[in-house]
Amino acid sequence: MYEKSVVLANSINRAGRCSLFWFALLGFALLSLVPAKQSVADIDSLSANYTQYSAEDLFINSGLKILLQQIPASTATSFEDALSSGELPDAFNGIDPKHIRGAIRNAFKFETFNRYLVKELENQMSQISRQRMLDWYETDIGKRVKHAELDNSLLFAAERFEQYRVYLARYPASFERLKIIDELDKTMRSTESAVDMMTNMQVAFNLSLSRFMPKDMQLSRQDIVAMVNEHQDQLLSEYRVQTREVLLFTYQDLNIDELEILDKMLATEAGREFVEAINNGIKKGMFAASLDLGDGLGALINDQSSNPGI
């Protein structure tokens, strides 16, 4: 029945929601490498005599590669947590958990995301935009903020983030700080990108897995898209709150003036191209990994059906 398929789909999707949010945050977590005391004109002057810098240079020097290396294990861990807590649907009850873990880790590979991210940085950014971003990372303030971004990434500091949320509940951020944080969210399209990537993940996973389900539990692409879009407004609302908390945590050491400079810098052509390239690369990488995950888990379901009692 259609209802059974919805239950199956939503159960799996919940397992990956937290880690996918972390993944989506990569699109803006690295964009804080902006010289706090330099204007846009100053940055432009750095690129006056730019040389040929590759997308790979930007991928490495921005710190994106370091964060990206943590994504597969983090995403897999979220699914494994769902497995250990019994959140996966009944279709997986008779499957050895180690095989499920293997399918998860085979799907979420660093190489997949590496390929898509570098390709998007190459295709979506002009040469001079890549150079300008690299120039930002070469400044003293850029290097300092880069280290702070890595230190404050949820991939490395999840426990500190939870402690920070408790702190925010007792000592809320000022109106002025919340205002510029919300502006940053809009400039980076953080919330919208997170939801977009989540829905793409859901569509890819369910398209792939549905092929292995009994006929009465299979969904068409139209059914899957309709199911996903049904929760769009709810996801936007949930993620907007989470985005604000993460941005406050990530940029906690920057003052309001510095945050305003950051917002202006991200609105430049180079910043916009960088945001778009990262968001697209992550979305495509997650789509491909989710297809692989559906294939892997579907194969396990098939094997179980073909070999009952084994």
Side-chain angles (χ1 to χ4, degrees), residues 10 20 25 35 49 81 111 117 147 194 245 266 274 284 295:
N10 287 336
L20 181 62
L25 292 178
N49 297 308
D81 288 344
E111 292 77 12
L117 258 295
H147 289 305
E245 292 176 338
L266 296 183
F274 195 37
K284 291 178 180 179
D295 286 345

Side-chain angles (χ1 to χ4, degrees), residues 262-282:
L262 169 59
D263 186 54
K264 291 178 181 178
M265 294 299 293
L266 296 183
T268 65
E269 183 176 358
R272 291 195 304 270
E273 289 181 5
F274 195 37
V275 168
E276 183 177 1
I278 293 175
N279 286 339
N280 286 343
I282 293 173

